[in-house]
């Protein structure tokens, strides 16, 4: 088609031949498409997009509707930055970390009820944050060391580290920052600082030094880390060592239930762990017996809580309250979890029952 093009077209694009004008128009509409596909590209990268196109001519002139596409790209970049931030939050599993913080508050409130002692609110908040960050560091270390294994799991492959959304280098830097921040927050008390450092060492040994691969060490270490915040609470009390007897019943329950939960998690990962770790299900060669052992521990612990007057005197001395509701609902959830044939769903339901019991304990102590 050799018909003349309008004058405005020649001046608008700087070309005086129909073929060059066609090429320019094609670029004008092709670049935004490529620009949308690569949403992280900025305007500075647009010449490279043009260079990679099928046209040999490189035009660095601003194309029609540039401002519109630039605004869209900036909005998408902002959205991606938010997603990256969410990945860094997700990888430390903040909901799970609330168990550790909740255990600290159960221990602290139990001690204050037994022997009143004033602790500045700022110290309590700083200690809670320190526990949150240090345990988050442990979660991240575990994900970094198990990223290859997790990438083969249909469930764990969605985690930010296993999925590659957080690189190993960025993950290690992030873990170091979390650990350092937790130490800084606990520096007000020398004993608390040493306790935080010991927890970080235990988590590093678990993930980095391979302690989780030794038979039952993983279960026992996870059980200890679950009740460790109770010890941290006693370190804030002016009569730290004399208070340990008050926390012993609480530590017994927390340790037993978390050891049982780790056995259930080992049943979930039995095929993934085969040849790489020695867990109880692999040692026994039977998931069914491991399941019976885990829920045998859970049921025995619940029965001990219900029948022992120690817990009722501590959490509900004046009659039924929030703790009573927590025990009832927690027991129902545990029994339901033990009857489920899907181990993964049972383990998750057991985890929910732990949250319910923690809320009941904290509520029972708070209203006294």
């Amino acid at each position: 088609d050799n018909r003349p093009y309008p004058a405005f077209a020649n001046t608008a694009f700087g070309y005086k031949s129909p073929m060059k004008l066609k090429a320019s128009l094609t670029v004008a509409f092709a670049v935004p498409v490529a620009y949308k596909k690569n949403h992280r590209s900025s305007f500075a990268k647009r010449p490279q997009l043009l260079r990679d196109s099928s046209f040999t001519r490189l035009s660095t002139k601003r194309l029609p509707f540039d401002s519109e596409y630039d605004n869209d790209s900036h909005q998408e970049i902002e959205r991606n930055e938010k997603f990256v931030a969410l990945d860094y939050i997700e990888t430390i599993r903040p909901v799970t970390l609330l168990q550790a913080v909740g255990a600290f508050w159960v221990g602290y409130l139990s001690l204050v009820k037994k022997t009143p002692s004033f602790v500045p609110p700022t110290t309590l908040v700083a200690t809670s944050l320190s526990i949150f960050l240090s345990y988050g560091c442990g979660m991240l270390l575990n994900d970094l060391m198990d990223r290859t294994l997790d990438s083969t799991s249909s469930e764990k492959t969605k985690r930010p580290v296993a999925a590659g959304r957080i690189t190993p280098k960025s993950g290690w830097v992030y873990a170091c920052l979390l650990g350092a921040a937790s130490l800084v927050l606990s520096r007000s008390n020398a004993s608390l600082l040493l306790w935080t450092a010991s927890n970080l060492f235990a988590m590093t040994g678990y993930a980095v030094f391979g302690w989780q691969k030794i038979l039952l060490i993983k279960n026992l270490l996870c059980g200890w880390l679950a009740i460790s915040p109770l010890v941290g609470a006693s370190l804030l009390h002016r009569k730290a060592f004399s208070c340990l007897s008050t926390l012993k019943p609480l530590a017994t329950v927390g340790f037993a239930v978390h050891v049982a939960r780790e056995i259930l998690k080992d049943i979930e990962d039995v095929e993934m762990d085969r040849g790489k770790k020695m867990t109880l299900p692999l040692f026994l060669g039977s998931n069914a017996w491991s399941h019976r052992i885990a829920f045998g521990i859970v049921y025995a612990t619940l029965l001990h809580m219900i029948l022992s007057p120690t817990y009722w005197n501590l959490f509900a001395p004046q009659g039924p309250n929030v703790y009573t509701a927590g025990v009832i609902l927690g027991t129902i959830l545990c029994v339901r979890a033990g009857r489920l044939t899907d181990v993964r769903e049972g383990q998750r339901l057991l985890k929910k029952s732990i949250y319910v019991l923690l809320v009941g304990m904290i509520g029972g102590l708070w209203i006294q």
Side-chain angles (χ1 to χ4, degrees):
D1 187 358
N2 294 322
R3 287 178 295 178
Y5 282 76
F8 77 87
N10 296 337
T11 57
F13 293 95
Y15 297 109
K16 296 186 178 180
S17 69
M19 293 305 297
K20 289 184 178 181
L21 178 56
K22 283 184 179 181
S24 182
L25 287 171
T26 305
V27 170
F29 288 100
V31 167
V33 175
Y35 193 71
K36 282 287 186 180
K37 289 182 180 179
N38 187 3
H39 57 267
R40 292 183 180 274
S41 299
S42 62
F43 180 75
K45 294 183 180 180
R46 186 167 295 184
Q48 182 63 36
L49 291 173
L50 287 168
R51 189 179 291 112
D52 293 339
S53 68
S54 59
F55 298 98
T56 57
R57 182 182 179 90
L58 173 62
S59 174
T60 57
K61 295 183 179 181
R62 291 185 65 83
L63 300 173
F65 317 115
D66 263 340
S67 59
E68 178 183 346
Y69 291 118
D70 286 345
N71 290 336
D72 290 344
S73 67
H74 289 318
Q75 291 175 1
E76 292 193 20
I77 290 172
E78 290 177 0
R79 283 197 294 269
N80 286 320
E81 289 175 349
K82 291 178 181 178
F83 290 142
V84 170
L86 290 176
D87 286 336
Y88 279 93
I89 295 173
E90 178 189 346
T91 194
I92 64 174
R93 297 192 272 290
V95 176
T96 302
L97 300 183
L98 293 178
Q99 288 186 32
V101 178
F104 165 75
W105 278 96
V106 168
Y108 171 73
L109 293 173
S110 300
L111 295 176
V112 169
K113 177 189 174 183
K114 185 80 173 181
T115 308
S117 178
F118 175 75
V119 178
T122 53
T123 302
L124 292 174
V125 173
T127 305
S128 299
L129 288 175
S130 176
I131 293 171
F132 187 90
L133 296 177
S134 62
Y135 277 65
C137 175
M139 293 286 188
L140 180 55
L141 288 175
N142 192 49
D143 283 358
L144 288 169
M145 297 306 298
D146 287 348
R147 62 184 182 276
T148 303
L149 277 176
D150 291 346
S151 63
T152 63
S153 170
S154 58
E155 185 72 20
K156 296 181 180 180
T157 190
K158 300 175 184 178
R159 293 178 177 177
V161 175
R165 299 197 301 273
I166 295 179
T167 63
K169 181 179 179 180
S170 299
W172 283 109
V173 172
Y174 185 35
C176 291
L177 291 174
L178 290 172
S182 67
L183 291 172
V184 170
L185 288 169
S186 62
R187 73 187 189 280
S188 60
N189 185 310
S191 300
L192 194 63
L193 178 62
L194 182 61
W195 169 78
T196 303
S198 67
N199 279 344
L200 289 172
F201 176 75
M203 295 171 193
T204 303
Y206 175 91
V208 180
F209 300 153
W211 295 352
Q212 60 174 309
K213 299 179 182 180
I214 305 173
L215 179 63
L216 293 180
I217 294 297
K218 169 189 176 182
N219 309 78
L220 297 176
L221 190 55
C222 288
W224 160 251
L225 289 172
I227 65 172
S228 183
L230 294 172
V231 179
S234 69
L235 296 176
L236 294 178
H237 202 276
R238 55 188 174 86
K239 296 181 179 179
F241 294 102
S242 62
C243 295
L244 293 179
S245 59
T246 304
L247 300 176
K248 185 178 178 180
L250 301 177
T252 302
V253 170
F255 182 83
V257 172
H258 279 85
V259 167
R261 181 169 173 260
E262 287 301 316
I263 295 175
L264 294 176
K265 291 170 69 175
D266 290 339
I267 297 174
E268 289 183 51
D269 300 335
V270 65
E271 293 302 327
M272 190 172 63
D273 293 340
R274 193 180 300 277
K276 301 178 181 66
K277 301 177 183 179
M278 179 51 68
T279 59
L280 186 63
L282 290 173
F283 177 76
L284 295 177
S286 171
N287 290 345
W289 272 106
S290 300
H291 189 273
R292 293 189 189 103
I293 291 172
F295 277 99
I297 295 173
V298 172
Y299 295 152
T301 304
L302 282 174
L303 191 63
H304 172 66
M305 287 183 63
I306 294 171
L307 298 181
S308 175
T310 303
Y311 301 96
W312 296 107
N313 293 334
L314 180 61
F315 297 110
Q318 300 174 354
N321 60 9
V322 179
Y323 173 72
T324 309
V327 170
I328 294 174
L329 182 56
T331 302
I332 294 173
L333 292 176
C334 286
V335 173
R336 173 63 177 163
R339 299 181 65 181
L340 290 175
T341 55
D342 189 336
V343 178
R344 179 178 286 105
E345 292 300 321
Q347 183 268 133
R348 289 177 177 175
L349 198 58
L350 179 61
K351 182 179 179 180
K352 292 179 181 178
S353 71
I354 295 174
Y355 288 127
V356 171
L357 289 171
L358 270 177
V359 171
M361 290 177 179
I362 295 174
L365 291 167
W366 193 269
I367 63 177
Q368 294 180 35

